[in-house]
Amino acid sequence: MLSMKKKISFQSLITIIYLLFGVCWIILTDILLESFAENSLYWTELQSVKGIIYVIISALIVFALSRRYARQQDFINTHLKESIEKAEQSDRLKSMFLANMSHEIRTPMNGILGFVNLLENPEISQENHKQYIGLLKKSSERLLDTINDIIEISKIESKEATLNISEVDLNESVNFLFSFFQPEFSAKNLDFVLNNSLTDKNLILKTDKNKLESILLNFIKNALKFTHDGSVEFGIFQQNNGICFYVKDTGIGIPADMHNVIFERFTQADLNITKPYEGSGLGLAISRAYAKLLGG
């Protein structure tokens, strides 16, 4: 059998305390005063003093309880207001995220369909054919990246992301990523610099190779996307008993007041940033989740 405790209201609590205190006060003080009262006049005076003391003490108790109740209500109202604001912001961000996802899926899909239609033309030149194939491939890769991000963030949200731990040669992974991105930086006329101070060490780490490289890949891709002039530096160094990776660029940067939220899901430094820049906006959220899984 289930029992449910009914919470006593604040008004009832004050009334009960007032009555209990009053009854106890009357009984106890009467017992004490009987030994001091020598005549009826003195007894009357003592009763008056007793009544005044009771009123003062009970007023102080009621004031203290009321003040505590008011503070609790202010605390509850403040947190309720914050919760409502967070919920409204979350709904707004999720709506913008869904709109962005819709854009990120429709845009490459429309490109794929458009170039497929163009390729069906038997009179297309060899040069245009090659160009359309390249654009078709690029649109397909963009669509696949978006789908992969959605799948990964879904796994993270549902706590289904798993680790495949193995021995990973960090120098090999760093060199692979540097070589992989070098052509893209060259095509954009950007300097891509590798700063590895640990090349002479045998850096073998037990971790998930795919997730580690995915974290670094997301940071390098962001640097490549948001840097138009200058350079991007990708580095690795040892600090105390840990290994640190970093990506430093001369790009557009991130406002200081957004540093604490850019790793949150459905949040971007500029909510309209996907208009000039492609991407799902999930890369940093995925990277943060992976780093947490890996103990980094």
Side-chain angles (χ1 to χ4, degrees):
M1 209 175 158
L2 295 175
S3 61
M4 185 172 64
K5 293 182 179 179
K6 189 176 180 180
K7 189 176 181 181
I8 301 175
S9 66
F10 176 71
Q11 294 86 348
S12 300
L13 181 64
I14 286 184
T15 303
I16 293 170
I17 291 174
Y18 185 82
L19 290 173
L20 288 174
F21 180 73
V23 171
C24 292
W25 174 265
I26 291 170
I27 294 172
L28 290 174
T29 52
D30 281 351
I31 294 172
L32 291 172
L33 290 176
E34 281 181 359
S35 59
F36 296 101
E38 299 175 354
N39 54 58
S40 59
L41 180 62
Y42 187 50
W43 175 263
T44 303
E45 290 176 352
L46 289 176
Q47 289 286 7
S48 299
V49 172
K50 186 179 73 168
I52 293 171
I53 294 172
Y54 172 73
V55 170
I56 293 173
I57 294 175
S58 60
L60 290 173
I61 292 174
V62 171
F63 174 77
L65 290 172
S66 301
R67 188 178 182 184
R68 182 182 178 187
Y69 177 76
R71 286 180 176 177
Q72 287 178 340
Q73 289 302 113
D74 289 340
F75 179 80
I76 291 171
N77 291 334
T78 300
H79 280 263
L80 182 61
K81 184 179 179 181
E82 291 176 356
S83 298
I84 291 172
E85 289 175 353
K86 286 181 180 180
E88 290 174 349
Q89 184 185 31
S90 178
D91 286 340
R92 182 170 59 87
L93 291 173
K94 287 181 180 179
S95 296
M96 297 187 74
F97 168 78
L98 292 173
N100 182 35
M101 285 298 97
S102 177
H103 169 77
E104 285 298 315
I105 291 173
R106 283 202 312 265
T107 301
M109 182 59 71
N110 289 334
I112 292 169
L113 294 174
F115 290 122
V116 167
N117 290 333
L118 290 172
L119 289 169
E120 288 178 343
N121 184 358
E123 298 179 1
I124 189 173
S125 66
Q126 187 68 26
E127 182 180 350
N128 285 340
H129 185 275
K130 183 177 180 181
Q131 181 185 4
Y132 295 158
I133 289 292
L135 293 171
L136 182 62
K137 183 180 179 182
K138 185 178 180 181
S139 295
S140 300
E141 289 173 348
R142 179 180 173 184
L143 179 61
L144 182 61
D145 285 343
T146 301
I147 293 171
N148 284 336
D149 284 347
I150 294 172
I151 291 172
E152 286 307 307
I153 203 70
S154 298
K155 287 182 179 179
I156 291 166
E157 290 282 354
S158 60
K159 302 188 184 303
E160 292 181 0
T162 56
L163 295 176
N164 296 311
I165 303 298
S166 63
E167 291 189 348
V168 179
D169 187 328
L170 296 185
N171 279 319
E172 181 183 308
S173 292
V174 166
N175 291 331
F176 163 74
L177 290 169
F178 180 73
S179 301
F180 179 82
F181 279 102
Q182 186 65 64
E184 294 187 58
F185 280 96
S186 297
K188 213 174 169 183
N189 293 320
L190 294 172
D191 293 327
F192 188 34
V193 180
L194 176 61
N195 184 4
N196 184 357
S197 60
L198 305 175
T199 52
D200 57 337
K201 295 188 177 181
N202 185 26
L203 294 179
I204 303 297
L205 183 68
K206 286 189 176 182
T207 187
D208 187 313
K209 180 180 175 68
N210 290 333
K211 286 182 173 54
L212 173 63
E213 291 184 354
S214 179
I215 294 169
L216 300 176
L217 184 141
N218 277 326
F219 277 94
I220 297 172
K221 279 173 65 177
N222 269 8
L224 175 63
K225 184 191 301 184
F226 297 108
T227 303
H228 306 294
D229 298 296
S231 63
V232 173
E233 182 178 328
F234 173 39
I236 176 176
F237 62 93
Q238 188 168 0
Q239 187 176 61
N240 300 325
N241 294 323
I243 301 295
C244 295
F245 300 91
Y246 71 90
V247 178
K248 181 169 65 174
D249 62 65
T250 57
I252 62 175
I254 301 168
D257 60 342
M258 298 299 295
H259 287 181
N260 293 328
V261 299
I262 56 171
F263 292 95
E264 297 295 332
R265 300 169 183 83
F266 314 120
T267 304
Q268 294 173 320
D270 181 352
L271 293 175
N272 296 316
I273 208 163
T274 51
K275 291 183 178 179
Y277 299 98
E278 298 177 359
S280 64
L282 291 173
L284 293 181
I286 292 172
S287 296
R288 181 190 187 186
Y290 282 173
K292 189 175 180 180
L293 279 173
L294 297 173

